[in-house]
Amino acid sequence: SGDLYCSLLNPRNVRFESVNMRNVLHWSAPEGTGNGVLYKVKYSVYGVGKWIRKPECRNINITWCDLSSETSDYEEQYYASVKAFLNGMFSDWVETTRFNPLTETKIDPPIVSVSSTDKSISITLTAPEKWKRSPEEESISLLQVYPGLQYNVSVLNKKTKKRWFFSISNHTLVVPWLEPGTAYCVSAQIHVPAPLLDSGFSKEHCIATLKDK
Amino acid sequence: EDASLPAPQNISILSTNMKHFLTWTPVMVQGETVRYSVEFQGEYERVYGGESWIPISECSPIAATVCNITEDISATVAYRLRVRAQLGARTSPWATLKGFFNRITTSLTPPVMKVIADGYHLLVELEDMGPAFQFRVLYWKKGQERRVQQKVLKEVSSVLHLDTMEAGADYCVKAQTYVEAINRSSSFSQTQCVRAQGGTPMWL
Amino acid sequence: TTGNKIFHFGACRVSMSMAEIRAGFTAIKANIQARDPIRTLSILSYPHSLHKVKSSDRCCITHHLLNFYVGKVFKHCKTEDLYVNRKISSIANSFLSMKRKLGQCHEQNRCRCGQESTEKLKQILANYEGLNVTSAAMKSLGELDILLDWME
């Protein structure tokens, strides 16, 4: 791109990586460049006129930049762009594709807590929170972002090795009439029907029903 | 364009459970492999798109006399379909399906279902039929046919928990599929009954 | 998951297969949006996002936007890529099917347009007419997820 003498190869694979709407711009260094390359970043709201520089990501030598704060309105869509510098040479601005936080974020599994009696287990599920600027800021559950959010719950009887699935909309589930003194392992997944988004399954939480009195 | 090749005959659609196939009888040319190309036209193309036709690349060309058109028949409107034969530079006239095809006419079969009693728990295993399908599952305690309960299941890739059962009681289950995109249901599956684990239930 | 959406406009109930449209659009989104170099203008979101529209105006806006896409947008979106064209056909025919279903609500007078929605629709048409027809159509198609997000 242009005369090699005064231009640097472009950063590669410029894209947003988003989890629970923590939206981080990532890229790879220009091919063949080692350390010492610096970068600067800008972003824009789709449909709005201007590019905005991100001061905290000016002359940085790392290959990511957290733009969560700048892209927190998930009713908007965004572009971001990166430029590389090395020894007076610089690359072109390289843009992301249009980023839609609402449909492109990845969702973490729900937080699972389990308690038991002698014949039942109670499962409580908590959807992850949307990224927030600081701990003091008000928490927004992804349940508020995706009102149609549901849970798929898997319950494994460790003795019989049989696994059952439940599909529930509210965040608690009681499974009664189980075998006393038996270990059950629970894991859960978030399912959003529209726009279609699924989390992975959480790690298993195992608990034993109490021995028969 | 040398159109001496005869057009395919007996164009028809086979459509079951929202899977749609176009079939035709082969054009026979001694010692040669005749190939075919398939095109579709939705109602949009007819009304707003200048009656344009769109090739189905997976079937243009193919040697087989059947084409899976499911991916392109993805709206509940009237479609037209056509196929022609080709042999080298020679092509036949287009043969067009008589009338239209609307996926609303697909035939829906009852779901394959397996009912399981695991202790006091009533479970059901249903065959995954694709994202367009929901399952309406009815279940009742034998002898209480008036108190039928219903669950609508969408995610069916495993053993699904329906309900808990009273000790020693018999429970019966039947299910039908429902396709919201065409607002139609299949007939019900055979009823299957299972018995809950015996023994004095905790609450008695 | 069927991802179908039941819209209730007063007593009018319309089922729309959003999942199929969403899947069709997702398959070609990068291709279509790459054909729209204009970052500084949006057809649907300028100056205000669709999300700012009152819920009482939802039926009217939905009805007119379906007409807008079916009547104006899709026909100018033909590409050199057969796969993209097939997906556009799939979306266009789904929109036509939805347009017809929603038309029944409109005929039953349950889809009245308030002042705000009339202004919003005028703005959308002005944004559209502000560009040459192919750029406007391709930009509108690239903004389909803005419409789908709002509808869902």
Side-chain angles (χ1 to χ4, degrees):
Chain A
S1 57
D3 173 358
L4 254 184
Y5 173 73
C6 74
S7 73
L8 186 61
L9 286 179
N10 290 339
R12 293 165 297 160
N13 195 15
V14 181
R15 78 271 179 203
F16 275 98
E17 288 188 7
S18 173
V19 179
N20 302 337
M21 296 209 179
R22 179 172 184 241
N23 308 323
V24 180
L25 183 67
H26 284 263
W27 62 89
S28 309
E31 199 160 356
T33 55
N35 298 332
V37 182
L38 298 179
Y39 304 94
K40 60 183 175 180
V41 167
K42 63 182 181 181
Y43 68 92
S44 78
V45 179
Y46 171 65
V48 176
K50 51 192 184 319
W51 284 97
I52 304 164
R53 299 296 170 100
K54 168 83 172 174
E56 298 84 345
C57 295
R58 192 168 176 278
N59 298 335
I60 55 173
N61 59 11
I62 53 175
T63 58
W64 59 270
C65 168
D66 192 329
L67 291 173
S68 304
S69 192
E70 291 76 12
T71 56
S72 62
D73 180 352
Y74 53 81
E75 288 177 353
E76 298 291 353
Q77 303 193 11
Y78 305 90
Y79 285 92
S81 193
V82 184
K83 193 183 189 97
F85 294 86
L86 180 61
N87 306 334
M89 295 187 294
F90 51 83
S91 75
D92 300 325
W93 284 102
V94 179
E95 278 178 20
T96 63
T97 55
R98 195 179 305 171
F99 172 63
N100 179 346
L102 190 68
T103 59
E104 294 177 46
T105 198
K106 303 264 180 311
I107 297 181
D108 276 337
I111 299 157
V112 178
S113 68
V114 191
S115 61
S116 71
T117 67
D118 59 343
K119 284 197 168 57
S120 73
I121 56 175
S122 301
I123 302 162
T124 301
L125 304 166
T126 309
E129 286 175 7
K130 177 180 184 287
W131 170 87
K132 56 184 183 183
R133 285 180 181 81
S134 65
E136 298 74 39
E137 194 177 342
E138 185 212 347
S139 295
I140 298 174
S141 165
L142 286 183
L143 188 56
Q144 295 164 258
V145 178
Y146 303 101
L149 186 147
Q150 300 161 5
Y151 301 98
N152 292 331
V153 182
S154 149
V155 176
L156 171 70
N157 180 324
K158 291 284 273 186
K159 190 189 291 181
T160 63
K161 299 287 187 285
K162 288 181 183 166
R163 186 184 297 274
W164 306 342
F165 279 86
F166 300 74
S167 205
I168 58 174
S169 296
N170 52 19
H171 64 287
T172 55
L173 171 66
V174 176
V175 186
W177 302 0
L178 296 174
E179 290 175 54
T182 303
Y184 290 88
C185 292
V186 176
S187 75
Q189 167 196 43
I190 283 175
H191 168 65
V192 178
L196 187 57
L197 292 171
D198 284 336
S199 76
F201 268 91
S202 66
K203 68 180 177 53
E204 282 195 332
H205 288 253
C206 299
I207 195 165
T209 48
L210 308 179
K211 293 261 188 311
D212 220 345
K213 296 185 187 81
Chain B
E1 192 180 330
D2 172 356
S4 59
L5 210 53
Q9 302 291 313
N10 305 316
I11 320 284
S12 67
I13 295 266
L14 293 174
S15 175
T16 306
N17 291 330
M18 295 293 270
K19 297 273 190 304
H20 324 298
F21 295 86
L22 185 73
T23 70
W24 56 90
T25 46
V27 171
M28 307 305 287
V29 175
Q30 191 63 36
E32 297 281 1
T33 302
V34 173
R35 296 183 194 287
Y36 306 91
S37 288
V38 177
E39 294 186 343
F40 73 93
Q41 179 192 80
E43 189 170 343
Y44 175 82
E45 281 74 32
R46 262 194 317 289
V47 176
Y48 295 90
E51 306 220 350
S52 57
W53 290 85
I54 301 174
I56 298 180
S57 34
E58 290 81 359
C59 301
S60 299
I62 49 168
T65 57
V66 60
C67 171
N68 184 345
I69 59 174
T70 304
E71 191 178 335
D72 291 294
I73 308 295
S74 55
T76 308
V77 294
Y79 283 86
R80 297 186 69 200
L81 291 135
R82 70 182 185 180
V83 57
R84 76 176 171 185
Q86 63 193 69
L87 184 55
R90 294 160 60 194
T91 56
S92 78
W94 287 104
T96 304
L97 176 74
K98 263 191 216 55
F100 301 96
F101 170 66
N102 189 319
R103 64 179 184 176
I104 208 164
T105 61
T106 193
S107 71
L108 295 176
T109 60
V112 174
M113 174 182 79
K114 180 179 165 198
V115 179
I116 302 158
D118 189 345
Y120 300 111
H121 294 268
L122 181 61
L123 304 146
V124 67
E125 213 166 358
L126 289 156
E127 166 203 12
D128 191 349
M129 299 176 73
F133 285 80
Q134 296 176 51
F135 297 84
R136 188 162 157 257
V137 181
L138 304 185
Y139 59 95
W140 60 94
K141 187 176 163 190
K142 215 168 202 179
Q144 294 186 3
E145 276 66 17
R146 288 173 176 279
R147 292 180 55 199
V148 175
Q149 300 197 57
Q150 164 181 301
K151 263 199 175 161
V152 174
L153 303 172
K154 295 177 183 174
E155 305 281 326
V156 292
S157 55
S158 41
V159 175
L160 294 159
H161 189 277
L162 277 185
D163 215 331
T164 43
M165 302 185 279
E166 289 168 28
D170 288 327
Y171 283 76
C172 299
V173 182
K174 64 180 182 180
Q176 67 178 161
T177 63
Y178 173 64
V179 181
E180 198 151 39
I182 58 175
N183 195 23
R184 278 187 48 219
S185 300
S186 72
S187 53
F188 274 101
S189 64
Q190 292 282 325
T191 298
Q192 292 177 39
C193 301
V194 291
R195 174 164 298 175
Q197 171 181 314
T200 314
M202 179 175 66
W203 57 94
L204 284 186
Chain C
T1 162
T2 63
N4 267 43
K5 178 79 182 173
I6 309 288
F7 288 86
H8 297 270
F9 299 118
C12 208
R13 176 189 180 285
V14 179
S15 158
M16 296 192 193
S17 35
M18 303 298 282
E20 287 173 316
I21 295 170
R22 183 74 80 171
F25 178 72
T26 303
I28 59 173
K29 169 181 147 126
N31 182 299
I32 296 296
Q33 290 180 348
R35 295 168 192 264
D36 171 16
I38 308 168
R39 304 284 190 269
T40 56
L41 226 175
S42 163
I43 304 287
L44 297 181
S45 299
Y46 181 83
H48 305 302
S49 152
L50 274 176
H51 295 273
K52 307 289 186 270
V53 167
K54 284 203 309 268
S55 62
S56 56
D57 283 356
R58 273 173 65 89
C59 181
C60 162
I61 296 263
T62 305
H63 172 71
H64 283 282
L65 284 182
L66 291 177
N67 286 349
F68 166 69
Y69 273 88
V70 168
K72 276 185 175 292
V73 172
F74 293 126
K75 65 177 76 173
H76 297 297
C77 291
K78 215 169 209 56
T79 75
E80 74 298 334
D81 183 320
L82 178 56
Y83 176 78
V84 171
N85 292 345
R86 284 164 74 185
K87 289 300 169 191
I88 293 172
S89 165
S90 159
I91 295 168
N93 280 286
S94 293
F95 265 58
L96 182 58
S97 173
M98 286 198 299
K99 171 175 137 46
R100 186 170 301 134
K101 287 184 195 175
L102 200 55
Q104 293 148 19
C105 287
H106 206 255
E107 280 140 30
Q108 299 162 22
N109 239 322
R110 298 188 187 285
C111 209
R112 224 165 277 120
C113 291
Q115 166 75 19
E116 190 179 317
S117 45
T118 307
E119 287 306 319
K120 181 64 186 175
L121 292 165
K122 264 193 214 146
Q123 179 67 63
I124 287 171
L125 285 180
N127 295 342
Y128 188 84
E129 256 108 45
L131 298 171
N132 77 68
V133 69
T134 307
S135 305
M138 208 47 91
K139 178 176 267 299
S140 303
L141 181 58
E143 294 184 6
L144 212 62
D145 53 350
I146 294 176
L147 175 59
L148 298 176
D149 291 351
W150 174 70
M151 285 173 77
E152 282 174 339

